[in-house]
Amino acid sequence: MKKKKLRFIIGGIILFLVLGYLIYSGMRGTMLYYMTVSELMDKGDSAYGEGVRLGGRVVENSINWDSLKLELKFDITDGKKKIPVVYKGVVPDAFKSGADVIVEGSYSPQGGFHATTLLAKCPSKYRPLEDEKT
Amino acid sequence: MTNLGYFMAAYIIVWIGVFIYLFGLQRSQNRLKKELESLKKILEEKG
Amino acid sequence: MQRNSLEKILIGITFLSLMASLYAIFFYAPLEATMGLVQKVWYFHLASAWVTFLAYAVVFVAGILYLSRKKRCFDILGYSSAGIGVVFNTLVLVTGSIWAKPIWGTWWTWDSRLSTTLILWLMYIAYLMLRTSSGEDSKGARLAAVFGIVAFIDVPIVYMSIRWWRTIHPLVFKSKGTEVDPAMLTTLLISLVAFTLLYLCLLRQRIALEHLKDELERVKEKIRR
C-alpha cells in the first residue's frame, strides 16, 4: 500500500516536470513564431546564414514562376521594407498576391531569402463564392 | 480548389471518432450490466 | 420511468439537431470564396473546440466541488467530462491538421495556437492516466481534482494565444466583430448547439458507466462478506 502511494507521488512529480518543461520550451519558441521583414533586416550581417522564420505580405505583381528551374520567386513586405524570396516546392492553396505568408529558410546577401518551406495564412473573412463572381 | 478529399477525410474522422467512443461506452455498459446480473444471482443463491 | 423518458427526449433532440447541422453544412452553407469546400471543416473544427473547452470547464468546476464537498459524484463528473474533452480535443487537432495541409501547406507547425492546444491535450491525457491509475482511492481523486483545476489554466491561454502572439492561425471572431457570411454563421450556430447536446448525451452515458462500476464494486463487496 505504501509502496503504491510512493510510486504514485513520484509519477505525479515526473508528470508535472515534463509538462512544465513542455510548456516552457513550447512557449519560448512560439511567442516569436516569425520575424517581420524589418526585424530581419535590422539585424544586419547577423541575419545571414541562420535558419529563420519570416512572415510578411506577398507584394502585388511580384510573383514569378520559373517553369524551367521550377522556382517560385516573389517579394514579401511588412509595409516598410521588402525582401525577394526564392522557393522550390509545393505551393499552398491560399498563396496568392497580397496574401500573408510565412517562409522558413535562410537569408543571404546575394540572392535574398532562400525558402525551404512556404506557408500561407488563410483569410479570417469567410465570404461566399457567389460574391467573388459579381 | 478541389480539396474534396481533405474535407471528406476530416468529416469521416469526426464521425468515426464520435461513434467509436459511443459504441465503446455502450459495450462496456452492457458488459458491466451482464456481470452485475450474474453476481446478483450468486448473491441470491448465497443468501 | 421519468428519468428514462427525459433521456429519450435528450437523445431525440440531439439526433435531430445533428441531422439539421449536417443538412446546413452540406446544402445551406455556401462554398467559401478562397478556400472552397475544405472551409466547411470549420463547422465541426470550431464546434469540437467549443466542446473541448466546455468539457474542461466542467472538470474545473467538478474539481472545486469535489475538494469542498468530498462527494463521489463530483469525482465521477470530472473524470467523465475529461474523457469526453480529450476525445474532442483530439478531433480539433486532427481536423485542424487536415484543414491546414491544403490551405497553409503543412500538417503541423509550432505556432502558439497549435502548441498550446497540443499541451492542453497532453495535460488532460495525463489527468486521465492519473485518475485511472488511482482507482477508488479518495486520495487519488483529490489529486486528480487539483490537477484538473490547475490544467484549466491552459484553456484561456489557448483562447488568447491568437490574440497575444504572432501566429499562422486566423482570428475569425475579433473584438470588433466578425466578417463571416451570415448563412455560414447560422450553420456554425446550429453545429454548436448540436455538438453541445452531443456532449450532454455522451456525458450521461459516461457517468452511467461509472455508476455501474460502483454498483458492481458494492455487489462484489457483499459477496466477499
Side-chain angles (χ1 to χ4, degrees):
Chain A
M1 199 59 202
K2 203 143 200 190
K3 211 173 169 185
K4 200 178 167 191
K5 208 186 275 174
L6 192 72
R7 208 164 51 195
F8 186 60
I9 291 167
I10 291 172
I13 290 169
I14 291 173
L15 221 71
F16 253 100
L17 288 178
V18 169
L19 281 175
Y21 176 73
L22 267 173
I23 294 176
Y24 171 72
S25 60
M27 282 300 149
R28 200 182 40 179
T30 56
M31 293 263 247
L32 261 181
Y33 177 59
Y34 57 79
M35 298 178 82
T36 64
V37 176
S38 297
E39 279 167 4
L40 184 71
M41 293 181 98
D42 287 348
K43 277 176 81 177
D45 285 351
S46 64
Y48 299 131
E50 257 180 272
V52 280
R53 204 183 268 132
L54 183 68
R57 181 154 292 168
V58 179
V59 178
E60 302 273 346
N61 303 321
S62 72
I63 302 175
N64 219 317
W65 170 245
D66 188 334
S67 54
L68 273 176
K69 287 203 267 181
L70 295 171
E71 261 180 2
L72 186 69
K73 285 182 178 166
F74 56 92
D75 297 342
I76 67 171
T77 178
D78 62 348
K80 287 172 227 139
K81 294 173 176 172
K82 64 179 183 183
I83 284 181
V85 178
V86 184
Y87 171 72
K88 241 179 181 176
V90 185
V91 179
D93 282 8
F95 177 84
K96 61 179 181 186
S97 151
D100 285 322
V101 296
I102 290 153
V103 285
E104 291 169 5
S106 59
Y107 187 41
S108 68
Q110 306 89 24
F113 197 92
H114 276 266
T116 49
T117 314
L118 168 62
L119 305 177
K121 284 194 186 185
C122 48
S124 60
K125 308 172 193 173
Y126 296 160
R127 288 164 304 140
L129 193 58
E130 285 82 4
D131 279 12
E132 191 87 323
K133 286 174 195 155
T134 53
Chain B
M1 273 198 297
T2 49
N3 37 41
L4 176 76
Y6 289 105
F7 171 67
M8 287 316 285
Y11 196 81
I12 289 166
I13 284 169
V14 166
W15 289 110
I16 285 181
V18 168
F19 277 110
I20 284 177
Y21 187 67
L22 198 60
F23 282 129
L25 284 182
Q26 216 77 46
R27 239 186 46 185
S28 14
Q29 262 191 32
N30 288 338
R31 204 194 55 227
L32 288 180
K33 268 180 194 159
K34 257 183 208 159
E35 206 180 326
L36 200 62
E37 289 297 309
S38 61
L39 282 180
K40 273 182 177 163
K41 243 176 225 165
I42 294 172
L43 200 64
E44 269 167 34
E45 281 163 18
K46 253 179 94 180
Chain C
M1 192 61 204
Q2 227 205 328
R3 230 181 136 87
N4 245 334
S5 62
L6 257 175
E7 186 156 359
K8 265 180 196 152
I9 290 170
L10 175 65
I11 291 172
I13 295 174
T14 306
F15 181 76
L16 286 178
S17 62
L18 281 172
M19 288 299 122
S21 93
L22 288 186
Y23 180 84
I25 290 169
F26 277 99
F27 303 109
Y28 173 65
L31 275 180
E32 207 276 329
T34 47
M35 289 186 272
L37 194 58
V38 81
Q39 181 269 340
K40 293 193 176 195
V41 170
W42 187 52
Y43 303 113
F44 35 88
H45 177 68
L46 205 137
S48 300
W50 155 247
V51 171
T52 307
F53 284 1
L54 177 67
Y56 293 163
V58 169
V59 177
F60 177 74
V61 173
I64 292 172
L65 288 173
Y66 181 75
L67 290 180
S68 57
R69 309 222 175 131
K70 299 276 178 308
K71 278 196 179 135
R72 169 90 174 124
C73 65
F74 295 125
D75 177 37
I76 290 177
L77 179 64
Y79 183 29
S80 303
S81 191
I84 300 167
V86 167
V87 170
F88 282 92
N89 199 342
T90 311
L91 293 179
V92 172
L93 289 167
V94 172
T95 53
S97 183
I98 291 173
W99 191 0
K101 182 59 187 162
I103 300 299
W104 295 351
T106 183
W107 296 106
W108 184 266
T109 178
W110 292 102
D111 104 313
S112 57
R113 171 50 77 83
L114 276 61
S115 310
T116 49
T117 310
L118 186 70
I119 290 169
L120 194 68
W121 188 70
L122 290 171
M123 287 210 283
Y124 282 88
I125 284 179
Y127 169 96
L128 287 181
M129 280 159 65
L130 194 73
R131 190 65 200 92
T132 313
S133 67
S134 56
E136 294 277 295
D137 181 18
S138 70
K139 212 164 214 164
R142 222 153 46 222
L143 192 61
V146 172
F147 194 106
I149 292 167
V150 173
F152 190 71
I153 292 172
D154 196 30
V155 169
I157 295 177
V158 170
Y159 180 79
M160 292 309 290
S161 58
I162 52 176
R163 293 161 177 87
W164 284 343
W165 298 305
R166 288 177 192 169
T167 161
I168 191 170
H169 194 286
L171 174 56
V172 175
F173 296 98
K174 302 174 192 75
S175 50
K176 283 176 280 176
T178 180
E179 292 169 284
V180 175
D181 173 66
M184 294 181 187
L185 221 50
T186 310
T187 307
L188 178 72
L189 213 66
I190 299 170
S191 300
L192 286 177
V193 171
F195 269 61
T196 308
L197 289 167
L198 180 63
Y199 164 72
L200 291 177
C201 279
L202 291 172
L203 189 64
R204 277 202 68 115
Q205 293 291 319
R206 189 69 189 75
I207 288 173
L209 185 66
E210 286 305 309
H211 283 311
L212 262 177
K213 277 183 195 163
D214 277 7
E215 204 182 335
L216 202 64
E217 276 309 308
R218 273 199 296 274
V219 175
K220 272 182 186 166
E221 197 61 33
K222 258 187 205 164
I223 290 175
R224 259 184 238 128
R225 257 192 265 137

